[in-house]
Amino acid sequence: MPGVLQLRERGVRGVILSYVDTAGINRIKTVPLSRLEHAVQWGVGISPVFDVFLADDSTTSTDRLGGPDGDLRLRPDLDRLVVLAGQPGWAWAPADRFTQEGEPWIADQRGFTRRMVSRAAAEGLSFRTAIEVEWAVGRDEDDFVAACRGPAYGMTRLVELSDYARDVLIALEEQGVQVEQLHPEYAAGQFEVSIAATDPLGAADDNVLVRQTIRAVSHRHGLRASFAPVVLAGRVGNGGHVHLSAWRDGANLFTGFPSSAGGFAAAGILAHLPALLAVGAPTPASYLRLVPSRWAGAFACWGVETRETALRFVPGTAGLAGAANLEVKCFDLTANPYLLLGALVAAALDGLAGRRPLPEPVAGDPTNLPDAPRLPTTLDAAVDAFAADETLREALGTTLFDAVVAVRRAEAARFRDADPEEVAAALRWVY
Ligand code: GLU
Ligand code: MG
């Protein structure tokens, strides 16, 4: 990371300390550059109540969290500090939370990813992950009006938003984010960017940074970006597909899939998938997206290059070494990426430890199968599966696990009587 003097030379005046709460909302504190070193050493105050904040800024509670008492210290991780291209004068750093005694906070979401990465390393394993980002570009209005016209995947869209899309690429590149591709997607005004795979902590950081960069560039162009699962009910939504591979001694366990250890890892993820939805599809809006025939992965099965199953095995192009991976399609970008990638690692490790057998793959559209296994179709059902999942409880630790359950139940309750249009409208510009 550049030193304070270099940051000042690059025009930085303020540093953003970025934290993602249990509801998946990016909350922040900032310090002037002159206070950065102090913030690194001592942290800045942040209430533990954010662990049980909801997407509308109300709070819920668990037996340990949610009161007005207590304070934590938020410390920026300088290894990931970047100078923001879309917000001149600002640098950004993901931050970790500590107790006032200097211990890592037990319910810290980023700390959870770190723990799962260390747990894998103790078994001689590492994971490479990437989260695809889909978003809808709208005009700067509360209703969603697509900012461009033209067919899905079509050149017309890029012509109309040519400068905008270029500025997204420039900003991400200047921030050291490795973009693999950017393209117009299916839904009106929808685009997608794919990012190179890296370790889970880095991929979660990238995911937060990429979304906030797209948001900032959109704003500078007088546009509005939505990463919500659906911007309009009943239409194709925004996914947050996760690509994942597991490595031991420099070898990709997904090579030779499914009759390799990668098959055990995939079986672990498949077995925990209904519960994982409470982490990766955490809002009522998630279930408006997660329906058949929208390539959202609504079925609890796997296939080779199948875009309708929740798990799509990607063998990789012949000759491209190490490219085999598993794409988990059912998740969206309302997820806290730290919780999601940590939980996926926990599920994969569980599959590997138990040498869990992988069921037969599905070919074609699962809708045509007589007994195609649907994933939970409501947030309530996903939370029930999560609340009963002892593997995830042990991995997250009770404090964080209970916070996830409480936040999800409260989000479900908040929209109990809402129709799909109301759900979509309420979350459209929050995520
Ligand atoms: N937009 C789809 C979703 O909701 C995904 C389309 C694709 O396969 O990239 O996940
Ligand atoms: Mg896509």
Side-chain angles (χ1 to χ4, degrees):
M1 98 103 201
V4 166
L5 274 179
Q6 282 164 295
L7 288 172
R8 189 169 291 279
E9 272 164 23
R10 291 177 63 185
V12 172
R13 304 305 299 266
V15 181
I16 299 161
L17 281 51
S18 162
Y19 156 70
V20 183
D21 72 12
T22 310
I25 305 283
N26 188 192
R27 315 251 177 210
I28 60 153
K29 292 272 179 117
T30 79
V31 292
L33 187 58
S34 57
R35 286 286 283 189
L36 178 60
E37 278 163 2
H38 190 275
V40 170
Q41 193 175 357
W42 301 104
V44 303
I46 183 166
S47 163
V49 79
F50 289 111
D51 286 331
V52 285
F53 249 55
L54 306 185
D56 68 347
D57 302 338
S58 63
T59 60
T60 184
S61 61
T62 69
D63 56 353
R64 295 174 203 210
L65 295 167
D69 307 335
D71 204 26
L72 297 169
R73 309 303 297 175
L74 187 66
R75 282 198 216 148
D77 181 347
L78 291 190
D79 291 340
R80 275 313 304 261
L81 183 139
V82 294
V83 177
L84 291 181
Q87 290 172 259
W90 290 98
W92 173 94
D96 298 296
R97 293 177 305 153
F98 294 82
T99 66
Q100 285 171 317
E101 287 71 44
E103 298 296 323
W105 171 233
I106 191 168
D108 190 53
Q109 293 82 352
R110 196 167 183 263
F112 167 61
T113 323
R114 278 189 203 283
R115 281 208 310 281
M116 290 306 108
V117 168
S118 308
R119 190 179 276 194
E123 312 263 328
L125 285 162
S126 62
F127 286 82
R128 292 177 58 74
T129 51
I131 303 177
E132 292 177 3
V133 172
E134 293 185 332
W135 78 101
V137 195
R139 294 199 205 138
D140 192 6
E141 294 168 15
D142 285 345
D143 290 338
F144 179 75
V145 182
C148 60
R149 291 158 296 185
Y153 311 100
M155 180 63 181
T156 304
R157 293 205 195 164
L158 192 68
V159 171
E160 292 194 3
L161 291 180
S162 191
D163 293 354
Y164 167 73
R166 175 207 58 203
D167 287 351
V168 168
L169 285 181
I170 292 174
L172 292 173
E173 185 175 76
E174 283 182 357
Q175 292 171 182
V177 175
Q178 215 183 317
V179 173
E180 292 196 332
Q181 56 165 294
L182 182 151
H183 65 271
E185 250 289 345
Y186 187 87
Q190 193 180 35
F191 281 76
E192 171 174 334
V193 65
S194 11
I195 306 300
T198 183
D199 65 284
L201 190 67
D205 289 339
D206 279 351
N207 181 254
V208 179
L209 179 61
V210 166
R211 280 183 287 156
Q212 297 306 21
T213 302
I214 291 170
R215 208 185 291 286
V217 173
S218 303
H219 186 66
R220 290 172 81 77
H221 280 264
L223 303 171
R224 226 168 166 190
S226 172
F227 303 91
V230 286
V231 286
L232 295 171
R235 310 279 181 88
V236 166
N238 293 318
H241 307 177
V242 178
H243 288 266
L244 171 148
S245 57
W247 297 70
R248 194 195 294 280
D249 300 327
N252 182 353
L253 301 191
F254 284 86
T255 306
F257 186 90
S259 56
S260 61
F264 301 139
I269 291 172
L270 186 58
H272 290 284
L273 213 46
L276 287 168
L277 274 192
V279 180
T283 60
S286 302
Y287 299 84
L288 299 176
R289 163 188 168 263
L290 193 57
V291 295
S293 305
R294 300 211 190 129
W295 288 8
F299 293 93
C301 46
W302 74 279
V304 179
E305 293 289 17
T306 301
R307 286 182 170 79
E308 269 293 285
T309 53
L311 302 187
R312 167 190 176 204
F313 174 61
V314 183
T317 308
L320 200 60
N325 69 86
L326 189 70
E327 180 182 28
V328 193
K329 291 182 68 81
C330 48
F331 304 135
D332 63 65
L333 299 169
T334 52
N336 175 315
Y338 302 100
L339 286 180
L340 178 56
L341 295 184
L344 277 170
V345 169
L349 290 179
D350 185 52
L352 282 160
R355 300 181 70 79
R356 202 183 267 272
L358 188 65
E360 287 300 307
V362 160
D365 190 342
T367 317
N368 301 329
L369 300 175
D371 50 358
R374 267 299 286 276
L375 281 167
T377 56
T378 63
L379 180 55
D380 291 300
V383 186
D384 288 345
F386 179 81
D389 193 312
E390 289 307 319
T391 303
L392 293 179
R393 175 188 291 277
E394 184 279 327
L396 284 136
T398 300
T399 307
L400 182 52
F401 186 86
D402 288 350
V404 172
V405 173
V407 169
R408 303 299 180 258
R409 291 215 190 283
E411 288 292 354
R414 202 156 75 76
F415 290 101
R416 185 77 64 215
D417 300 320
D419 61 34
E421 282 73 25
E422 287 168 335
V423 173
L427 297 177
R428 180 183 297 144
W429 304 117
V430 175
Y431 289 98

